[in-house]
Amino acid sequence: MDIVKTATDWTRAEMLSSSFFILFGLSFLLASFGFWQLGRTDIARAYVVPMLVAGTLILIHRARPVLSEPGTADELPGGLRH
């Protein structure tokens, strides 16, 4: 039964890690929007597309396990369902 406890702890840690990465990806998208709207120099405007791509890739990479794992919907924070 030690393996079940270890697997459960690992799953909870992975879910917590995924939520932090999702917040990190959203902050990249928000920063990209800020550079697009508030950027006055060419260098500030040059950060828009790379930050958009980076934020999108982070969201795709980390949100996919949270949304596609069968049987974990009951453990998602806030009672989110598939």
Side-chain angles (χ1 to χ4, degrees), residues 7-8 12-13 17 29 31 33 37 42 48 50-51 57 64-67 70 74 77 80-81:
T8 303
R12 287 185 182 149
S17 170
L29 294 178
F33 181 74
Q37 290 295 316
D42 290 335
V48 172
M51 290 187 80
L57 289 176
R64 186 180 58 215
V66 172
L67 299 177
D74 296 333
L80 297 173
R81 298 279 180 197

Side-chain angles (χ1 to χ4, degrees), residues 35-51:
F35 277 121
W36 176 51
Q37 290 295 316
L38 303 173
R40 302 282 183 233
T41 64
D42 290 335
I43 293 175
R45 297 245 173 180
Y47 281 115
V48 172
V49 173
M51 290 187 80

Side-chain angles (χ1 to χ4, degrees), residues 2-38:
D2 189 40
I3 189 79
V4 173
K5 183 182 180 319
T6 302
T8 303
D9 291 343
W10 174 78
T11 303
R12 287 185 182 149
E14 191 68 27
M15 295 292 283
L16 181 66
S17 170
S18 292
S19 64
F20 280 117
F21 270 92
I22 290 170
L23 289 175
F24 192 63
L26 289 174
S27 68
F28 260 77
L29 294 178
L30 185 63
S32 175
F33 181 74
F35 277 121
W36 176 51
Q37 290 295 316
L38 303 173

